């Protein structure tokens, strides 16, 4: 039953953001709110489990990418940087801002993960530098730009009605970070 509750909760979060109520959720599940609270004594506990599940999925997906022999180094790096839990692929960026604003403890868990999950990406970058596929650069600045960009986009999404998906936002940001903004033939023209 807990698995079913989690699945419907993720669906509710995708539709309404993290501000769905336990009453809404109980109605979607066809059970009483009292029964729902028997499984999850608070919405915060439910959110904790949702976030833990998403983080575990991200870790597993990253491991799959890192060990996928069909991908080259640049593809692995790009895929790792745009990882989003499957159930949240179409989520709106503003929902992350809602989590930050209304559920600070749950946001802290996600924020810690966002700041600490860089070992696999560092390993790919180092491999790319050694292979001369990636120029040497300050990885700490890269992380700060990535995280700062993500958080700034979250703030903007909460104020803007433009409903760009989290997946599309992450892909665009990573494309800019990895490929820059210049056409490949700019140096040839000068």
């Amino acid at each position: 039953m807990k698995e079913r509750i989690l699945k419907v909760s993720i669906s509710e979060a995708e539709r309404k953001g993290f501000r769905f109520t336990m009453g809404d959720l109980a109605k979607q599940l066809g059970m009483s709110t009292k029964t729902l609270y028997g499984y999850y004594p608070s919405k915060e506990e439910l959110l904790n489990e949702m976030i833990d599940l998403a983080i575990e999925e991200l870790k597993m997906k990253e491991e799959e990418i890192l060990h996928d022999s069909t991908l080259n180094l640049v593809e692995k790096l790009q895929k790792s940087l745009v990882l989003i839990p499957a159930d949240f692929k179409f989520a709106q960026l503003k929902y992350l801002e809602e989590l930050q604003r209304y559920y600070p403890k749950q946001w802290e868990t996600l924020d810690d993960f966002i700041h600490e999950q860089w070992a696999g990406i560092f390993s790919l970058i180092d491999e790319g530098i050694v292979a001369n596929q990636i120029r040497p650069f300050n990885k700490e600045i890269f992380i700060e730009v990535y995280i700062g960009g993500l958080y700034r986009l979250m703030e903007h999404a909460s104020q803007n009605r433009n409903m760009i998906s989290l997946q599309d936002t992450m892909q665009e940001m990573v494309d800019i970070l990895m490929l820059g903004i210049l056409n490949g033939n700019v140096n040839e023209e000068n």
Side-chain angles (χ1 to χ4, degrees), residues 6-7 9-11 13-15 50-62 64-65 79 82-92 113 165-168 170:
L6 276 172
K7 185 176 181 164
S9 299
I10 290 168
S11 176
E14 190 176 305
R15 280 185 337 106
M50 289 170 65
I51 290 166
D52 289 346
L53 186 68
I55 288 171
E56 285 308 309
E57 182 185 337
L58 289 172
K59 288 177 181 178
M60 286 184 350
K61 281 182 168 185
E62 183 180 47
E64 288 173 15
I65 291 167
K79 285 183 177 288
V82 297
L83 273 178
I84 295 172
D87 292 327
F88 291 105
K89 269 196 174 137
F90 303 105
Q92 305 301 320
F113 174 72
S165 75
L166 181 55
Q167 181 75 40
D168 291 344
M170 297 297 293

Side-chain angles (χ1 to χ4, degrees), residues 168-181:
D168 291 344
T169 302
M170 297 297 293
Q171 186 64 57
E172 183 69 22
M173 185 174 70
V174 168
D175 286 349
I176 292 168
L177 284 173
M178 288 185 62
L179 305 173
I181 60 171

Side-chain angles (χ1 to χ4, degrees), residues 91-185:
Q92 305 301 320
L93 199 56
K94 70 178 184 173
Y95 295 161
L96 290 178
E97 196 270 339
E98 283 179 7
L99 185 68
Q100 182 184 31
R101 179 178 292 174
Y102 299 108
Y103 300 98
K105 284 188 174 32
Q106 290 70 26
W107 170 254
E108 186 177 338
T109 300
L110 187 57
D111 183 57
D112 287 346
F113 174 72
I114 290 169
H115 279 86
E116 296 168 3
Q117 56 89 26
W118 293 92
I121 290 170
F122 278 0
S123 138
L124 288 172
I125 291 170
D126 290 341
E127 185 181 331
I129 291 170
V130 167
N132 205 28
Q133 290 182 298
I134 298 173
R135 71 171 181 81
F137 65 94
N138 185 318
K139 291 180 277 194
E140 295 302 319
I141 292 174
F142 181 86
I143 291 171
E144 290 303 317
V145 169
Y146 178 95
I147 293 172
L150 175 63
Y151 289 0
R152 181 63 185 112
L153 288 168
M154 280 172 29
E155 291 169 14
H156 178 72
S158 71
Q159 300 162 358
N160 188 350
R161 295 282 181 227
N162 186 358
M163 298 296 261
I164 188 168
S165 75
L166 181 55
Q167 181 75 40
D168 291 344
T169 302
M170 297 297 293
Q171 186 64 57
E172 183 69 22
M173 185 174 70
V174 168
D175 286 349
I176 292 168
L177 284 173
M178 288 185 62
L179 305 173
I181 60 171
L182 299 178
N183 281 331
N185 58 1

Side-chain angles (χ1 to χ4, degrees), residues 28-41:
Q28 288 287 332
L29 289 160
M31 65 173 60
S32 72
T33 307
K34 182 178 178 181
T35 302
L36 178 58
Y37 279 115
Y39 289 98
Y40 290 98

